[in-house]
Amino acid sequence: MELLKQIFIEPFETMYALPDLLLQTLWEGFVSGTLYSLIALGFVLIFKASGVFNFAQGIMVVFAALCLVGIHALGVPAYLALILTLGVMALLAMSVVQFVMKPLVNQPDIILFMSTIGITFILIAGGQIIFGGEPKAMITEELGLPTGSSVLEVSGGIVIFQHIDIAAAIIAAILIAGLALFFNKTKIGRALRAVADDHQAALSVGISLEQIWVVVWFAAGVVALTAGILWAAKSDVSFALQVIALKALPVLVLGGFTSIPGAIIGGLIIGFGEKLFDLYWGVPLLGGGTESWFAFIIALLFLLYRPEGLFGEKLIERI
Amino acid sequence: MLKKLILGAAAIAVASTVQVTTSYAEDTLYIPSLSYRTGPFAGAGTPIANGFADYFNMLNARDGGIGGAKLVVGECETAYNAQKGVECYEATKGNGALAYNPYSTGITLQLIPKAPVDKIPVLSMGYGLSAAAVGEKFPWTFNYPASYWSQMSSILQYIDSQGGIKGKKIGFIYLDVGYGKEPIPLLDKLAPEMGFEWVGFPVGVKEMQNQSATWLNVRKERPDWMVAWSFGAMTPTAVKEAAKIRFPMDKFIGNWWSGAHADLEPVGEAGKGYKAANFSGVGTDFPALQDVIKHVVDAGNSQAAKDDIGKVNYNRGLFNAVIMAEAIAAAQKATGKVKITGEDMRLGLETFVLDEARLKEIGLEGFTAPIKASCKDHEGAGSIFIQQWDGSDWKRTSDLIAPMTDVVRPLLEEAAEKYVGEQTGWKTQSCG
């Protein structure tokens, strides 16, 4: 009986008694959700174009952030460092296509997946050799990102809005919308969808596979850089940041590996869900720390009952 | 033919490398260094490894080693991974290793049962298994200058000295692994005795940089003080989140893994007022540190940047080397041998004297609290002090705080008894 009360009554009593905390939780869930969506988007772009699950997306987040901070540390102004970092990500995209994707074209998916594990190790080692393993501060203020916070009074309590969180949500939303439009409404977007459907058919109608791959790997690099800046502003730039990308896995399972709207909705569901669950159910019932597994349980349930995700394409194969 | 030649040359090259790494001259002493310059905790591992190596290299350059024996530091990269740590141990123990300093509670727990078998002691300086402080039960493991439990008791005493702890709620945010959970039994024991309430906030390794849900819980629970058992990227994230919810920073105390320069430099001004425990001095205003700069750093033989000398983790690695060096000297004196073994080193670790006079003699006066090495007490009942972040650097803000030995020791003995009871063929020792 006590357990039922803890599950069905007490959480809602707390929500009612502390509306400021509920609003704060929803805000934190929204901010995390948009960032999860952003990271998941990097995976979706590459998966759509090549059918490859890019294991290196997490380290790309770290590598991009390290490049930005490392170039700035050489005395380069922040905005120029940002442009140079985009150049590095473009070079990375071209190198991956030239040395990994092209030689492995038409190979089984697992081979391509393994190759992205190889890319991960190269970026980890390269990043550590060039920039060292020590954590570094993100150049938040130098990039013109806001600091400080605003406070909203609610029923005697307060809701705190960090300006960097507001900026993160806006930047992530703009980037997601921009990429969604780019890949849905432009010629390159249509070419991307053709490549995703069938490499050889796309080649036969004159679509340059190489060009599309460079575009999507670069787009994934831009997403990684943005995610790196916004996430590192909340903590620091260190190699531990790459595990954040693991959170994109349940987002992808939820939203579908091929759906940009799915990545957005999936990210928000995970963001809101894990914050609300941890605060109102996780701590009283399980002692907290549920954030590290809650999203994966949701993903597991989806795999059992809707393996294609909310927006993924249902796979029908002729036997 | 060419292929065979290449393969043959490669085999000879590998064989000669093995030869080089496994044979050390009669007048050298081999000290393995299980370092992590890569991986998620490289920010701590790199300066620690540098400080550790630099002190031995300074002794080589200045004094010709210890007792006439040159010191060879053999570094092996673990990436803070227990499996790799064990691989490093197995790969280096045959080199005449004197003692292992794992710098990871996970690796320490793996090495504790191996130490009596291979007769090579483990020195987990201020970390690892708290119960290993009981020398009678753990003859081969040491955790000078203080176990996690002793440290927690000192932190609680500090809180008590800042307006009383009775009736207060302590929030305990910890990395949800063996290291972070280690002081929980002590909190359970001391809460009713000291009259405080405590609430835990676990943070998974994957969530180190994603703590907003944890700090929503902190806000809901409204603790009077927060104590952190964090590591790596978890610390700056926790301090930033604390600032975000406007938790009073001067009531937030980290342990000695949660208070390095690398932890607070990314936070900067927002972390002003945050406190942390420490047991080794900060800065370079010590003659021993000056000697390191003169003989090693300026000579171009250090991997550390000059700016990093004197920072918290560098000095901690250096202090670890000091304990090792003192134990080596004690072992040489006790056995009359220059080239000592792991077994001799164990004796040295139980008999070295690092009192105030000796600290002054080696150029570290005021650097740390004296350590009382003994057969019975393998943590030395060391004291800690509290340091505070001023926005750009750490400043010491308290006197030395001794642990609550009267409370902690019986708990350590109980835990040691339990550990030993679960082993088969475990050899204890009698300390008279």
Side-chain angles (χ1 to χ4, degrees):
Chain A
M1 196 62 189
E2 184 60 29
L3 181 68
L4 290 175
K5 194 181 167 198
Q6 280 185 316
I7 295 171
F8 294 111
I9 297 173
E10 285 177 3
F12 300 101
E13 283 177 348
T14 311
M15 287 180 200
Y16 182 74
L18 301 168
D20 58 319
L21 191 64
L22 176 62
L23 279 176
Q24 188 79 62
T25 309
L26 291 171
W27 169 247
E28 298 292 342
F30 175 70
V31 173
S32 294
T34 46
L35 290 173
Y36 292 156
S37 300
L38 191 60
I39 296 171
L41 197 61
F43 285 96
V44 168
L45 290 174
I46 290 172
F47 193 83
K48 269 173 83 81
S50 54
V52 178
F53 179 78
N54 180 22
F55 190 80
Q57 190 65 33
I59 191 64
M60 279 169 67
V61 171
V62 179
F63 187 77
L66 276 173
C67 278
L68 175 63
V69 174
I71 293 170
H72 178 66
L74 297 173
V76 178
Y79 287 109
L80 184 56
L82 188 65
I83 293 164
L84 290 173
T85 306
L86 286 171
V88 172
M89 297 317 282
L91 266 176
L92 179 69
M94 286 187 270
S95 306
V96 167
V97 172
Q98 190 64 32
F99 300 113
V100 181
M101 301 300 290
K102 268 175 71 179
L104 295 178
V105 72
N106 276 335
Q107 292 293 319
D109 291 346
I110 189 69
I111 302 288
L112 290 163
F113 172 69
M114 294 300 283
S115 73
T116 66
I117 295 178
I119 295 168
T120 303
F121 285 122
I122 290 169
L123 290 180
I124 289 174
Q128 283 173 344
I129 289 167
I130 300 166
F131 304 107
E134 302 83 7
K136 293 158 185 72
M138 177 44 71
I139 48 172
T140 315
E141 285 177 41
E142 293 85 341
L143 286 169
L145 291 168
T147 53
S149 59
S150 299
V151 171
L152 178 71
E153 288 193 20
V154 180
S155 304
I158 56 165
V159 183
I160 303 165
F161 297 96
Q162 289 282 310
H163 294 165
I164 184 69
D165 286 347
I166 297 171
I170 292 170
I171 291 167
I174 290 171
L175 189 65
I176 291 166
L179 286 168
L181 280 175
F182 180 72
F183 285 106
N184 281 313
K185 304 288 180 191
T186 64
K187 201 175 164 186
I188 291 178
R190 282 196 295 277
L192 168 71
R193 290 206 299 278
V195 169
D197 282 345
D198 191 317
H199 286 177
Q200 285 180 334
L203 277 170
S204 70
V205 294
I207 294 171
S208 165
L209 212 56
E210 190 180 331
Q211 194 184 25
I212 293 296
W213 278 343
V214 169
V215 169
V216 290
W217 274 87
F218 176 62
V222 173
V223 168
L225 175 61
T226 313
I229 293 170
L230 298 178
W231 212 293
K234 291 152 76 79
S235 54
D236 62 9
V237 186
S238 71
F239 282 85
L241 200 60
Q242 62 179 304
V243 292
I244 291 289
L246 291 175
K247 268 293 168 64
L249 282 174
V251 171
L252 293 169
V253 172
L254 229 72
F257 278 72
T258 53
S259 168
I260 291 176
I264 301 165
I265 302 295
L268 289 173
I269 290 174
I270 296 291
F272 283 123
E274 67 178 18
K275 305 290 183 233
L276 287 168
F277 182 80
D278 192 66
L279 186 65
Y280 294 105
W281 287 272
V283 172
L285 293 168
L286 304 158
T290 62
E291 251 187 321
S292 53
W293 53 261
F294 174 79
F296 293 92
I297 296 291
I298 297 288
L300 193 65
L301 291 174
F302 264 78
L303 282 174
L304 285 172
Y305 298 107
R306 196 179 164 83
E308 70 274 16
L310 285 172
F311 300 91
E313 293 155 14
K314 200 156 193 163
L315 193 66
I316 301 169
E317 287 188 15
R318 184 172 292 169
I319 302 169
Chain B
M1 184 62 190
L2 182 66
K3 194 177 170 186
K4 279 183 182 173
L5 275 173
I6 293 169
L7 282 173
I12 291 164
V14 170
S16 58
T17 310
V18 172
Q19 188 70 21
V20 167
T21 54
T22 54
S23 71
Y24 290 97
E26 193 55 33
D27 58 347
T28 60
L29 295 170
Y30 180 78
I31 299 154
S33 171
L34 304 190
S35 61
Y36 37 96
R37 294 177 185 273
T38 65
F41 302 107
T46 303
I48 284 171
N50 289 338
F52 188 72
D54 285 358
Y55 186 75
F56 291 120
N57 289 333
M58 183 274 284
L59 293 180
N60 282 339
R62 190 191 65 186
D63 306 337
I66 301 175
K70 287 269 186 188
L71 306 154
V72 177
V73 179
E75 203 167 316
C76 186
E77 174 66 34
T78 71
Y80 197 75
N81 176 302
Q83 190 186 333
K84 283 188 189 169
V86 173
E87 285 170 14
C88 279
Y89 173 86
E90 295 296 341
T92 55
K93 69 179 184 185
N95 294 350
L98 291 185
Y100 279 89
N101 299 268
Y103 274 104
S104 147
T105 294
I107 300 172
T108 304
L109 295 176
Q110 297 290 319
L111 299 193
I112 286 173
K114 292 175 180 291
V117 177
D118 295 321
K119 300 202 181 302
I120 305 170
V122 173
L123 170 56
S124 50
M125 190 187 72
Y127 56 90
L129 185 72
S130 295
V134 182
E136 296 102 320
K137 305 290 183 195
F138 291 89
W140 291 89
T141 310
F142 301 80
N143 48 14
Y144 301 121
S147 66
Y148 281 137
W149 290 4
S150 290
Q151 177 188 194
M152 177 58 99
S153 76
S154 295
I155 290 173
L156 294 173
Q157 283 185 97
Y158 174 77
I159 292 173
D160 198 25
S161 72
Q162 304 292 303
I165 197 169
K166 198 168 183 182
K168 297 280 167 62
K169 187 189 261 190
I170 311 288
F172 177 58
I173 184 167
Y174 60 98
L175 191 60
D176 198 9
V177 295
Y179 147 68
K181 289 187 266 196
E182 182 68 18
I184 288 176
L186 189 85
L187 282 168
D188 282 336
K189 172 78 178 171
L190 289 183
E193 287 183 16
M194 296 179 79
F196 66 87
E197 181 191 349
W198 79 275
V199 56
F201 302 104
V203 175
V205 174
K206 289 203 298 287
E207 305 300 325
M208 286 196 303
Q209 288 172 294
N210 186 25
Q211 296 178 32
S212 55
T214 306
W215 286 88
L216 284 167
N217 281 319
V218 173
R219 191 173 150 182
K220 185 179 152 201
E221 293 291 338
R222 297 175 187 274
D224 299 291
W225 286 80
M226 283 295 289
V227 175
W229 237 250
S230 55
F231 194 31
M234 181 180 161
T235 307
T237 312
V239 177
K240 281 190 178 182
E241 290 287 345
K244 188 167 140 184
I245 68 159
R246 302 179 178 191
F247 189 84
M249 208 54 79
D250 60 348
K251 296 202 166 177
F252 188 10
I253 308 179
N255 76 347
W256 60 59
W257 287 121
S258 315
H261 286 83
D263 297 324
L264 268 291
E265 278 168 353
V267 182
E269 197 66 22
K272 196 171 176 179
Y274 170 75
K275 294 171 178 171
N278 197 353
F279 53 69
S280 46
V282 183
T284 57
D285 292 336
F286 302 94
L289 265 295
Q290 290 302 317
D291 282 350
V292 168
I293 292 170
K294 182 180 163 190
H295 294 283
V296 184
V297 182
D298 289 346
N301 294 326
S302 173
Q303 289 193 61
K306 200 163 182 179
D307 289 351
D308 289 337
I309 315 296
K311 287 188 174 178
V312 171
N313 278 331
Y314 181 90
N315 281 9
R316 185 158 303 144
L318 182 138
F319 180 44
N320 197 159
V322 169
I323 295 178
M324 288 285 290
E326 293 304 300
I328 289 169
Q332 287 176 332
K333 193 177 169 190
T335 61
K337 294 191 283 185
V338 172
K339 184 145 176 114
I340 56 166
T341 63
E343 211 165 357
D344 302 327
M345 184 68 177
R346 197 199 74 78
L347 182 67
L349 280 163
E350 284 191 343
T351 54
F352 74 91
V353 178
L354 195 60
D355 56 13
E356 279 172 11
R358 180 62 184 157
L359 281 168
K360 188 175 180 182
E361 192 182 339
I362 61 174
L364 289 171
E365 188 181 17
F367 183 84
T368 184
I371 296 175
K372 298 169 201 156
S374 72
C375 164
K376 193 175 175 174
D377 182 6
H378 281 195
E379 66 169 326
S383 302
I384 60 157
F385 62 86
I386 301 295
Q387 59 184 16
Q388 190 166 28
W389 182 251
D390 70 1
S392 60
D393 203 357
W394 289 104
K395 296 281 179 287
R396 182 170 165 167
T397 55
S398 85
D399 292 330
L400 290 169
I401 307 165
M404 299 162 72
T405 311
D406 54 331
V407 179
V408 176
R409 184 73 191 182
L411 284 172
L412 291 171
E413 284 171 0
E414 194 182 312
E417 191 70 50
K418 187 169 176 253
Y419 181 98
V420 170
E422 289 165 356
Q423 314 300 313
T424 47
W426 189 265
K427 282 187 184 163
T428 58
Q429 68 175 344
S430 172
C431 292

